[in-house]
């Protein structure tokens, strides 16, 4: 079966490409660096010829609210049109648990817009909503740093290993379209400062992390319920402690 992975050169996309190729499928990693641009439409129709499944794990190069909204909306529309021409029978997309509960975040609003385009496109689909990746925690710290101090909401996130996201996406892509949204999340919800401190320490990063009741997370406040998963979520196998044990870059011997 031919599977096109939009964003197939990224963190998730490269691993999805590898896994599905190892299972014997013809997998095309599609991205601007391989000549396929969903935002402009360049190379898209050609890439989709003969494809049965499209997995969209692309991301906007800019997180500015207007840019990211334009990216997911326009790319989604280009994808839907090209998928209809190619006869694609399953569109799989990776979005974010709880995005509708954080309307102050331009990025999360754009992910909701992406989901709306998919739901109205007329191509059978499965939307996989994931919580934040463990691998994304350093970027959260960087985005929340001012004057060398990391200030974040004290609320909980329920992060998941990228490898568990990849396994879930590969399984979904090989199954029938659900025409629905499923959730995947990590095994534990922990206060964001308690997630960031050991991640920074493992990198030898001495920045102070402060949890604040009204702290900002990419333009929005959070409660424990904003970005954590519901009871039906599929839970990834990798614990935060197990993932962290693979991250210690401060050892010298
Ligand atoms: N980070 C998180 O914690 C988290 C949680 C839940 C869901 N997600 C979602 O997961 C998805 C994948 O994230 P990631 O971290 O794997 O992304 P990433 O590593 O930043 O990779 C982004 C990919 O998108 C491609 N891309 C950029 N512009 C494109 C365009 N115009 N047309 C086609 N492809 C384009 C890039 O191609 P080039 O290599 O050519 O630039 C790259 O392959 C995102 O949609 C994100 O919203 C993320």
């Amino acid at each position: 079966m031919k599977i096109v992975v939009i964003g197939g050169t990224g963190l998730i996309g490269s691993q999805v490409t590898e896994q599905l190729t190892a299972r014997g499928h013809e997998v095309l990693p599609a991205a601007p660096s391989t000549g396929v641009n969903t935002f402009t439409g360049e190379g898209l129709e050609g890439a989709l010829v003969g494809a049965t499944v499209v997995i969209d794990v692309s991301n906007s190069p800019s997180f500015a609210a207007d840019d990211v909204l334009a990216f997911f909306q326009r790319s989604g529309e280009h994808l839907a049109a090209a998928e209809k021409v190619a006869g694609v029978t399953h569109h799989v997309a990776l979005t974010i648990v709880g995005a509708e509960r954080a309307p102050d975040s331009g990025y999360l609003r754009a992910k909701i817009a992406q989901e709306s385009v998919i739901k109205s496109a007329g191509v059978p689909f499965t939307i996989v909503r994931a919580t934040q990746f463990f691998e994304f925690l350093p970027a959260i710290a960087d985005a929340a740093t001012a004057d060398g101090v990391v200030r974040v909401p004290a609320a909980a996130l329920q992060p998941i290993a990228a490898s568990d996201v990849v396994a879930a996406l590969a399984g979904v892509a090989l199954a029938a379209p659900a025409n629905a949204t499923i959730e995947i999340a990590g095994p534990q919800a922990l206060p964001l400062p308690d997630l960031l401190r050991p991640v920074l320490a493992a990198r030898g990063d001495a920045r102070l992390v402060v949890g604040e009741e009204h702290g900002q997370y990419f333009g929005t406040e959070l409660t424990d319920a904003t970005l954590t998963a519901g009871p039906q979520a599929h839970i990834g196998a990798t614990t935060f402690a197990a993932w962290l044990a693979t991250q210690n870059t401060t050892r010298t011997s």
Side-chain angles (χ1 to χ4, degrees):
M1 171 162 81
K2 179 174 172 183
I3 301 170
V4 177
V5 181
I6 306 294
T9 56
L11 170 68
I12 299 295
S14 57
Q15 296 177 59
V16 168
T17 297
E18 201 179 293
Q19 267 210 20
L20 291 171
T21 303
R23 292 195 207 178
H25 297 284
E26 180 195 346
V27 187
L28 179 71
S33 51
T34 70
V36 181
N37 188 321
T38 51
F39 187 66
T40 62
E42 183 198 347
L44 192 53
E45 262 194 42
L48 262 53
V49 170
T52 303
V53 175
V54 169
I55 305 172
D56 183 8
V57 286
S58 63
N59 210 352
S60 171
S62 160
F63 283 14
D66 289 350
D67 293 343
V68 72
L69 181 63
F71 177 85
F72 281 117
Q73 241 164 6
R74 196 173 306 173
S75 296
E77 287 160 8
H78 285 154
L79 265 170
E83 287 172 5
K84 284 182 197 160
V85 171
V88 167
T89 56
H90 192 182
H91 177 93
V92 178
L94 183 58
T95 67
I96 302 181
V97 167
E100 79 286 0
R101 295 191 287 266
D104 290 342
S105 160
Y107 187 85
L108 295 175
R109 281 200 307 274
K111 295 300 284 183
I112 295 293
Q114 178 188 14
E115 292 184 349
S116 300
V117 172
I118 293 166
K119 289 174 187 167
S120 61
V123 177
F125 67 91
T126 307
I127 293 172
V128 178
R129 283 183 152 201
T131 52
Q132 289 61 47
F133 314 149
F134 292 143
E135 289 78 357
F136 187 56
L137 291 168
I140 294 175
D142 291 347
T145 299
D147 299 327
V149 177
V150 183
R151 295 184 188 282
V152 288
L157 295 186
Q158 192 179 347
I160 182 170
S163 58
D164 288 334
V165 175
V166 169
L169 281 171
V172 164
L174 299 179
N179 293 312
T181 300
I182 64 164
E183 287 191 349
I184 57 174
Q188 297 158 282
L190 292 168
L192 181 50
D194 295 353
L195 291 161
L196 297 183
R197 287 187 192 109
V199 168
L200 295 185
R203 299 156 72 97
D205 185 331
R207 270 179 290 173
L208 179 67
V209 178
V210 179
E212 299 176 333
E213 192 187 343
H214 298 290
Q216 293 285 305
Y217 175 86
F218 295 101
T220 186
E221 293 189 12
L222 297 180
T223 70
D224 287 347
T226 310
L227 297 180
T228 47
Q232 307 299 328
H234 301 262
I235 300 299
T238 311
T239 62
F240 180 55
W243 175 80
L244 197 58
T246 68
Q247 299 300 302
N248 193 333
T249 56
T250 59
R251 280 179 298 222
T252 50
S253 58

